[in-house]
Amino acid sequence: MNSNNTKAWSGKTRGGTFGYRFFIFLIDNLGVRFAYGFLFFVVIYFIPFAPQATAALWWYSRNILRKNRLKSVFFLFRNYFRFGQTLIDKVAISAGGKDKFHFDFDSAYPQFLQILNDRKGAIMVGAHVGNWEIGAPFFGKYGKNMHVVMLDAEYRKIKNMLDKHASERNYNILPLSESDGVNNILQVKNILDKCEYICFQGDRFLSNAQTVRTEFLGKDADFPLGLFLLAAKMRVPVIFYFAMKEKGMRYRFHFCIAEAPRRDMEKKAEIQLLEQYVAALEKIVGMYPEQWFNYYRFWDRKKESR
């Protein structure tokens, strides 16, 4: 692994307030399944009119998934369609529609709950695959002590709109500033010192972040190091969590409890944690390749197919 920071996410999420507002209208008036059907027209629009996102997704299909051109065309549609479904599901569940969906939990769920019950604090790490927030209703009593880090430059507009539509939100939002790293660290440390839980997305970083380059799905990619460095310093449990959409209106929650770093190894503790995260993310993306929702240049693009 080599430290590198040659490229970063722009700080903006694909889609904006208009898209959310439109689908809120459809869900409220015509239901979730009708909103799914309307996605066909939205996807047809997005493929040509979101050129940067489409270019990133095409590269992912051709160079990571190794699909040919024809299969990559169908993959573009499938990925955008699935992304739209996750947005619709997020809005529907935030408005109290949880009973319309089915949820399954993998075998590590009891171990995850035990860590939260131990009241030692914990760091949860997800990714922009699947639909992380769909699990919010199951945070239950833990939600009041759960702080979800937001680095999205546009999050305030979307958050305010969703809050107006939501019946309740049982977790806290922790907005971190790109320009105030010291204050960010103090906020996070304060949460962990209180034996509460902080949730990061481990697959994105902004321009001033410290990163490590490592192999991911066969090609080099940069990952943020700071959250793993913090976990190593604080010596709190680390949990990798992914909420993945299955067929129909069903989700499955995947949990991977990171092994505590060994201090007697030559490899630094934070690197041990990062490598475990990358392995967990590779497994999930391998299972759900169409739910990769990073629509920007993620990998180093040497020897690429077009």
Side-chain angles (χ1 to χ4, degrees):
M1 293 190 180
N2 296 310
S3 180
N4 192 295
N5 193 10
T6 60
K7 60 186 186 299
W9 171 54
S10 68
K12 295 183 179 181
T13 293
R14 168 54 45 199
T17 57
F18 174 79
Y20 278 94
R21 193 176 297 114
F22 178 74
F23 280 107
I24 286 173
F25 172 82
L26 289 182
I27 292 165
D28 286 345
N29 292 277
L30 298 169
V32 171
R33 293 191 182 278
F34 184 90
Y36 282 176
F38 200 87
L39 278 174
F40 176 85
F41 303 100
V42 177
V43 170
I44 294 298
Y45 166 84
F46 257 85
I47 289 176
F49 290 103
Q52 292 185 350
T54 297
L57 187 56
W58 179 267
W59 193 93
Y60 165 65
S61 178
R62 296 282 285 131
N63 293 273
I64 301 300
L65 303 182
R66 302 293 182 181
K67 294 181 180 294
N68 62 32
R69 290 177 179 271
L70 180 60
K71 289 183 178 179
S72 292
V73 170
F74 287 106
F75 181 77
L76 288 176
F77 185 92
R78 209 161 56 245
N79 177 277
Y80 276 140
F81 190 88
R82 187 65 86 189
F83 180 61
Q85 285 184 312
T86 64
L87 296 182
I88 290 168
D89 296 346
K90 185 186 305 183
V91 171
I93 289 179
S94 70
K98 180 181 71 171
D99 294 341
K100 298 177 182 177
F101 294 82
H102 300 279
F103 303 94
D104 301 312
F105 300 83
D106 74 3
S107 59
Y109 184 58
Q111 189 179 358
F112 164 69
L113 292 182
Q114 184 59 53
I115 290 173
L116 300 189
N117 287 328
D118 284 346
R119 296 284 297 144
K120 296 179 180 178
I123 289 179
M124 295 175 62
V125 190
H128 290 81
V129 298
N131 197 353
W132 196 96
E133 292 178 52
I134 213 76
F138 300 96
F139 295 161
K141 65 180 181 180
Y142 308 104
K144 65 180 180 180
N145 295 324
M146 195 166 285
H147 305 263
V148 179
V149 170
M150 291 287 183
L151 296 177
D152 192 334
E154 294 180 332
Y155 99 93
R156 288 180 179 83
K157 293 186 294 183
I158 293 175
K159 170 188 170 296
N160 291 339
M161 182 178 52
L162 291 178
D163 282 351
K164 291 178 182 178
H165 187 258
S167 57
E168 61 178 331
R169 188 188 71 232
N170 60 334
Y171 60 93
N172 306 292
I173 295 293
L174 179 63
L176 296 185
S177 169
E178 182 179 3
S179 59
D180 194 355
V182 174
N183 186 58
N184 292 343
I185 293 172
L186 291 176
Q187 287 188 74
V188 172
K189 185 178 184 301
N190 182 57
I191 288 169
L192 294 175
D193 285 343
K194 292 189 296 184
C195 298
E196 297 182 352
Y197 328 113
I198 188 156
C199 311
F200 292 92
Q201 302 287 38
D203 58 342
R204 287 187 184 173
F205 58 90
L206 294 172
S207 58
N208 62 345
Q210 183 181 4
T211 64
V212 168
R213 176 163 290 189
T214 186
E215 185 175 298
F216 173 60
L217 295 174
K219 289 188 178 291
D220 288 342
D222 294 330
F223 287 86
L225 185 62
L227 67 97
F228 300 104
L229 183 60
L230 186 67
K233 295 289 186 184
M234 297 292 292
R235 302 196 178 198
V236 296
V238 178
I239 305 148
F240 309 133
Y241 157 67
F242 310 96
M244 309 305 296
K245 188 169 179 64
E246 304 277 357
K247 291 183 179 180
M249 298 174 71
R250 181 180 293 274
Y251 278 84
R252 183 169 184 83
F253 301 136
H254 299 260
F255 301 89
C256 178
I257 314 302
E259 295 182 6
R262 291 180 53 185
R263 307 287 165 171
D264 60 342
M265 291 183 64
E266 182 177 342
K267 191 174 294 182
K268 292 182 178 179
E270 59 269 25
I271 299 299
Q272 295 178 49
L273 290 171
L274 173 62
E275 288 181 342
Q276 291 182 68
Y277 171 73
V278 170
L281 184 58
E282 280 189 325
K283 180 179 179 180
I284 286 294
V285 176
M287 294 169 63
Y288 305 89
E290 77 284 356
Q291 295 188 50
W292 174 258
F293 301 139
N294 277 302
Y295 298 118
Y296 72 103
R297 178 174 174 170
F298 192 87
W299 285 272
D300 183 30
R301 297 194 174 191
K302 296 177 181 177
K303 299 180 181 178
E304 59 187 40
S305 298
R306 298 184 181 277

